[in-house]
Amino acid sequence: MLAASCLVAPQTAAAATDREVQLEARLERLEAEMRLLRADLASARQEQAESAAQAQAAIATANAKSEEATAKVAAIESRPQGDGFKSGDTTIKLGGYIKMVASASRFSDGEVATNSLGRDFYLPQTIPTGGGTAQKVEDFTAKQSRFWLNLDTAVGGQSVKGLVEVDFQTAPGTQGSQRTTNGYNLALRRAWMQVGRVTIGQDWSSFQYTGALPESTDFVGATEGTVFVRQPLIRYSMPLAEGMTLHASIEEPESGTATVGSPALTENGDDRLPDFAARLAYTGKIGEGSLAVLARQVRVDNAGVAADSFGWGISAGGKIWLNDSKSSDVRALVTYGHNASRYIGLNFAPDAVYDPVTNQLESVNVIAALAAARIAIAPGWRVNVMGSYQRVDYADALGTLAIASFNKQAWSAAANLFYSPVKNIDLGIEYRHGERELVSGADGALDRIEFAAKYSF
């Protein structure tokens, strides 16, 4: 047995040693794999940390860029935006207004024909006279709507400006009728170009002070008392001092004369000299001022026999602000004309009266005036009151019977209330009374209530 034990023991010991070696090898492999796993885990954690840091940095960069973009957008939005659009080197701006007028009129001595100017706006020379039957009429129209283009082009370092203005009231004809389409002709009002101090084209006459026109639902307002002419001209404007400018122009000539026995006006087209006009304009802290003069030739050519006469005019007007915001003011205009009637009151009187017997142009003198006040009574609300007058004196050589049907005088007074619920919308209601008298003493009156709504853009 002892011998057997001695023989078995070495084999058993050898077997145990082999297993230990295998176990140790397995343990070493496990430890190596654990070390690898730990290294991979540490590497993964490091990469994750780096990725998180990169993500945080990216988020911070994105937030910074977003804030920068937001600041830039806010800066752009806070900047005043330029008007208009560009076409080549020219900046074009579109403006104007859409206006609808509804009126109820009473003519004391007859009716004014439908679709005529006297139905569209206050025109004293169309008031019927002579004892006809009183008539009441209502009219609705949008033909006073207006559009314009302002143009500005840079040429050789200098600005060349231009204006084109049109409306649907100016043209005498209509398309369609009030029964169906109410279509009206688009017509030119003004079209001029301006280089430096020189204006060439069609514009308000330099003899006219547009600042005197009162705010009214009517197309003109104080018609008989104002100077009102648009025509082709060449004008030079020269600054004289702060707020003071002299405008001098040569303008289109045209003689609107009547013939003894007939008050109808004739555009002769026989003129040979342009009209000359100049206006001194002043704008200051307390208001505006205007002083204008006119010189012209009135000429007719009847079957080769010509006659002409000198005409002139002087007009003074101004406006005084009643508050710092300039929302309230008083304004006035006084004009005297000798053979210059086409400039005053839309030719209420003839420039001169032609006598075919003597082949003479007999003189016509006109005195006209207007006054108006604009009073702001609350935010968006204002009241306007106005009055105007014109008187005509004919040459003594014209007998009363020969000019009995000619206009002698006209006057009107009006008051209105305007409300602007927003900046671009004006709503107004107005009452007007006007009277016209002929040389013979015949007269007539107009009473009109008018509503207007206007959207300016």
Side-chain angles (χ1 to χ4, degrees):
M1 292 178 62
L2 181 59
S5 300
C6 291
L7 291 172
V8 173
Q11 295 177 355
T12 304
T17 301
D18 291 339
R19 283 196 299 273
E20 290 175 355
V21 170
Q22 292 175 0
L23 286 172
E24 288 178 0
R26 290 177 64 187
L27 286 172
E28 289 178 358
R29 287 196 298 274
L30 287 172
E31 289 176 354
E33 290 176 358
M34 287 297 294
R35 285 193 295 271
L36 290 174
L37 287 173
R38 288 172 181 169
D40 290 343
L41 181 60
S43 177
R45 286 176 177 172
Q46 184 177 358
E47 290 179 357
Q48 183 179 12
E50 292 176 353
S51 297
Q54 291 176 356
Q56 291 295 328
I59 291 171
T61 301
N63 288 336
K65 289 183 177 179
S66 176
E67 291 174 359
E68 182 181 359
T70 302
K72 288 182 178 179
V73 170
I76 292 172
E77 290 179 345
S78 64
R79 253 184 241 157
Q81 299 299 306
D83 294 333
F85 59 92
K86 295 280 288 186
S87 177
D89 295 329
T90 302
T91 299
I92 303 172
K93 300 178 184 179
L94 172 66
Y97 57 76
I98 298 170
K99 180 182 178 182
M100 204 235 14
V101 177
S103 64
S105 306
R106 180 186 183 276
F107 298 98
S108 65
D109 289 73
E111 185 177 357
V112 175
T114 186
N115 291 322
S116 64
L117 293 178
R119 294 278 288 268
D120 292 339
F121 59 91
Y122 175 61
L123 196 61
Q125 48 265 56
T126 65
I127 297 176
T129 59
T133 303
Q135 297 288 337
K136 295 180 180 180
V137 295
E138 284 84 27
D139 292 285
F140 288 67
T141 180
K143 67 174 72 173
Q144 293 177 18
S145 298
R146 188 177 304 174
F147 304 95
W148 60 76
L149 288 175
N150 278 299
L151 312 171
D152 192 342
T153 306
V155 179
Q158 192 168 20
S159 177
V160 178
K161 300 181 183 297
L163 173 75
V164 178
E165 182 182 70
V166 295
D167 71 6
F168 302 89
Q169 178 68 74
T170 303
T174 62
Q175 299 169 338
S177 71
Q178 293 186 35
R179 294 177 290 104
T180 53
T181 59
N182 282 273
Y184 302 99
N185 299 322
L186 191 65
L188 179 67
R189 286 174 54 86
R190 296 187 292 162
W192 51 256
M193 53 184 161
Q194 186 180 86
V195 183
R197 298 178 180 179
V198 179
T199 301
I200 302 174
Q202 180 163 306
D203 197 13
W204 296 111
S205 170
S206 297
F207 188 58
Q208 179 175 352
Y209 169 50
T210 57
L213 293 173
E215 183 180 28
S216 173
T217 61
D218 189 72
F219 190 61
V220 180
T223 306
E224 59 270 280
T226 190
V227 175
F228 195 96
V229 170
R230 294 187 302 268
Q231 62 191 7
L233 52 78
I234 301 173
R235 177 168 56 222
Y236 182 79
S237 301
M238 181 174 62
L240 299 179
E242 184 178 357
M244 184 173 293
T245 304
L246 175 64
H247 305 282
S249 60
I250 56 175
E251 306 189 6
E252 176 190 45
E254 184 57 78
S255 300
T257 62
T259 302
V260 171
S262 174
L265 297 180
T266 301
E267 289 188 10
N268 299 285
D270 299 323
D271 306 275
R272 293 183 177 178
L273 293 174
D275 290 0
F276 299 90
R279 186 168 70 89
L280 185 63
Y282 171 76
T283 301
K285 293 182 179 180
I286 63 172
E288 300 176 353
S290 173
L291 177 63
V293 293
L294 173 73
R296 62 189 298 248
Q297 180 191 59
V298 179
R299 188 175 185 276
V300 299
D301 192 334
N302 184 28
V305 179
D308 62 73
S309 180
F310 178 69
W312 60 274
I314 184 168
S315 182
K319 181 188 302 184
I320 298 176
W321 313 118
L322 299 180
N323 55 13
D324 293 337
S325 64
K326 300 181 180 180
S327 59
S328 299
D329 65 73
V330 291
R331 59 190 75 184
L333 182 72
V334 178
T335 305
Y336 180 84
H338 172 78
N339 297 343
S341 299
R342 80 173 179 92
Y343 284 87
I344 308 166
L346 279 73
N347 228 156
F348 178 74
D351 285 327
V353 179
Y354 179 66
D355 188 344
V357 175
T358 62
N359 191 41
Q360 294 290 324
L361 282 171
E362 300 297 343
S363 297
V364 176
N365 297 320
V366 169
I367 180 72
L370 71 84
R374 184 176 190 262
I375 308 298
I377 56 176
W381 293 87
R382 65 267 188 201
V383 170
N384 294 273
V385 292
M386 66 201 76
S388 64
Y389 173 79
Q390 182 176 155
R391 180 179 176 84
V392 186
D393 291 319
Y394 297 91
D396 294 337
L398 297 170
T400 302
L401 292 178
I403 57 172
S405 57
F406 285 52
N407 290 326
K408 178 62 177 178
Q409 66 179 16
W411 69 271
S412 68
N416 62 49
L417 174 67
F418 270 90
Y419 171 55
S420 298
V422 294
K423 180 181 178 181
N424 296 63
I425 295 180
D426 299 311
L427 306 174
I429 187 167
E430 179 174 292
Y431 169 73
R432 178 178 301 275
H433 177 83
E435 295 187 10
R436 170 196 179 202
E437 182 181 341
L438 306 183
V439 173
S440 66
D443 60 7
L446 161 69
D447 291 279
R448 176 172 289 167
I449 296 177
E450 190 167 68
F451 168 79
K454 184 171 73 173
Y455 163 57
S456 303
F457 57 90

